[in-house]
Amino acid sequence: MEKLNSSGSRISLKGFGVLAVILKMFGILLIGNALGHFVLKEVFHINFSSEEQLLELIKTAPNPQSIILKSQGVNALFTFFLLPISYIIFFKRSYIEKFNPVSKRFMVFLFLAVVIFFTGMPLLAYLVEWNKAINLPSGLKSVQAWMEKSEHLAKVLTETIIYYEDNNSFFVVLLIVAILPGIGEELLFRGIVQNEIQDILKSPTWAIWITGFLFSFIHFQFFGFFPRMLLGVLFGYFYYWSGNIYVSMFVHFMNNALSLVLANMYKQKAISFDPDSVEFIPVYSVIISIITFAFFVYLYKRISTEAGITK
């Protein structure tokens, strides 16, 4: 009986520990967002406190793209850089050693991560379509309406921000849409959240999947929740199996950059297929995608074991 009570107490303590990490993460997000809004208001004279106000601002502003770029850039600076870096320096300095820039077989891991990402794209596209078709029960109409509202806002923001006319505007958009999230989100989610949960649970698998769930949740785009969670899980394994956070940072950046370029090309009619649609992807390519994706993931994990990074 004492052993059972002791085991139950350990589980409870671990659960509270994970909850504390999650609350800490939301604290960073909320404080970063508040600081970002303060700077936007005081420095750039951009002020909004709700989705409706932001949408109205986008409709009436002479240059709505500039507003969104400044908003996302300033918020990302506080939320994904200044606050996480400060937290690591003051409370988790030992984690700096885990961001190993020169690890065993780094280029092999980087190459395989890129291959895994591209081989999994057809599968990911079908998951996006499947997720879009999910409807909540009638008793949750208000939740469904909120989800659709959040999705609409995200769509408006994306359509406004992706257009670029020249190289200068392209690099600005690329910085805000791909470089900052690719580095900053990985620093917060894989660098802090995943490491802290793993320290508590002593289970990299649970840490990776919980972090992947949280990564997708905070985007508040629930009609793409499961594909984004799969991406988050994939980034987590890239980091854990390679022992190098720069692998997941690069693939995260590449995913965002590719989405930006394809969406812009479609908007300017430089390509005929819609990158957000799966109509152009035959079923057999999805089957091939699953097989090749699984093979290269297995190869990535095997190399990690052989290099002595994981067991």
Side-chain angles (χ1 to χ4, degrees):
M1 182 65 72
E2 289 182 2
K3 287 184 178 179
L4 287 175
N5 289 337
S6 176
S7 176
S9 297
R10 284 198 297 270
I11 293 172
S12 297
L13 286 173
K14 288 182 178 180
F16 280 119
V18 172
L19 180 60
V21 174
I22 294 172
L23 291 175
K24 213 180 303 180
M25 179 201 75
F26 277 107
I28 290 174
L29 294 172
L30 289 172
I31 294 171
N33 191 262
L35 290 172
H37 272 68
F38 176 79
V39 171
L40 286 170
K41 181 181 178 181
E42 298 299 325
V43 178
F44 298 104
H45 308 293
I46 299 172
N47 187 25
F48 59 90
S49 57
S50 66
E51 293 179 351
E52 289 80 6
Q53 289 183 8
L54 179 56
L55 285 172
E56 188 62 30
L57 198 60
I58 293 171
K59 290 178 183 177
T60 58
N63 188 357
Q65 186 190 50
S66 175
I67 292 175
I68 300 173
L69 288 172
K70 289 174 183 175
S71 175
Q72 293 194 355
V74 170
N75 283 327
L77 181 64
F78 283 104
T79 305
F80 299 118
F81 284 90
L82 296 182
L83 289 179
I85 289 172
S86 298
Y87 177 77
I88 291 170
I89 290 174
F90 288 107
F91 301 105
K92 295 289 181 180
R93 189 177 288 271
S94 61
Y95 282 5
I96 296 175
E97 297 176 3
K98 297 186 178 185
F99 308 150
N100 191 356
V102 185
S103 58
K104 296 178 181 178
R105 306 189 184 182
F106 170 69
M107 292 307 299
V108 174
F109 284 125
L110 189 63
F111 172 75
L112 284 177
V114 172
V115 172
I116 289 168
F117 171 77
F118 279 108
T119 57
M121 284 184 69
L123 170 62
L124 202 65
Y126 264 91
L127 280 176
V128 169
E129 287 300 308
W130 169 79
N131 198 163
K132 285 180 181 177
I134 295 177
N135 288 307
L136 296 180
S138 56
L140 297 174
K141 282 185 178 180
S142 58
V143 178
Q144 180 86 18
W146 174 69
M147 289 166 57
E148 290 173 353
K149 184 179 176 182
S150 298
E151 198 70 23
H152 173 67
L153 175 61
K155 184 178 180 181
V156 171
L157 293 177
T158 301
E159 290 178 349
T160 306
I161 203 173
I162 61 171
Y163 184 72
Y164 49 87
E165 296 179 338
D166 51 41
N167 289 338
N168 290 334
S169 60
F170 167 71
F171 285 116
V172 173
V173 176
L174 185 71
L175 173 67
I176 304 300
V177 173
I179 297 176
L180 290 183
I183 298 173
E185 290 182 11
E186 289 306 299
L187 183 64
L188 176 61
F189 286 97
R190 257 55 67 178
I192 295 177
V193 177
Q194 182 173 311
N195 277 323
E196 288 202 348
I197 294 177
Q198 184 174 331
D199 287 345
I200 294 167
L201 299 181
K202 309 302 179 186
S203 169
T205 301
W206 274 105
I208 289 167
W209 281 88
I210 292 172
T211 304
F213 174 88
L214 294 170
F215 169 75
S216 186
F217 181 84
I218 64 98
H219 283 81
F220 295 107
Q221 290 176 257
F222 299 101
F223 294 104
F225 181 87
F226 291 104
R228 188 174 289 104
M229 185 177 77
L230 179 61
L231 270 178
V233 169
L234 196 60
F235 296 154
Y237 277 115
F238 284 158
Y239 170 41
Y240 174 66
W241 284 337
S242 68
N244 196 317
I245 200 170
Y246 296 100
V247 176
S248 62
M249 283 181 175
F250 180 79
V251 180
H252 192 152
F253 155 76
M254 188 177 66
N255 172 68
N256 290 17
L258 184 63
S259 299
L260 165 68
V261 172
L262 289 177
N264 185 269
M265 291 176 68
Y266 179 71
K267 188 174 182 179
Q268 298 192 63
K269 302 187 184 305
I271 55 175
S272 58
F273 66 88
D274 184 354
D276 289 329
S277 172
V278 298
E279 293 180 358
F280 68 95
I281 303 177
V283 176
Y284 70 83
S285 68
V286 179
I287 297 173
I288 295 172
S289 171
I290 294 171
I291 295 171
T292 53
F293 175 82
F295 170 76
F296 284 109
V297 167
Y298 164 77
L299 185 60
Y300 194 104
K301 171 64 172 67
R302 182 174 175 178
I303 292 173
S304 174
T305 304
E306 291 175 352
I309 298 170
T310 57
K311 295 182 180 179

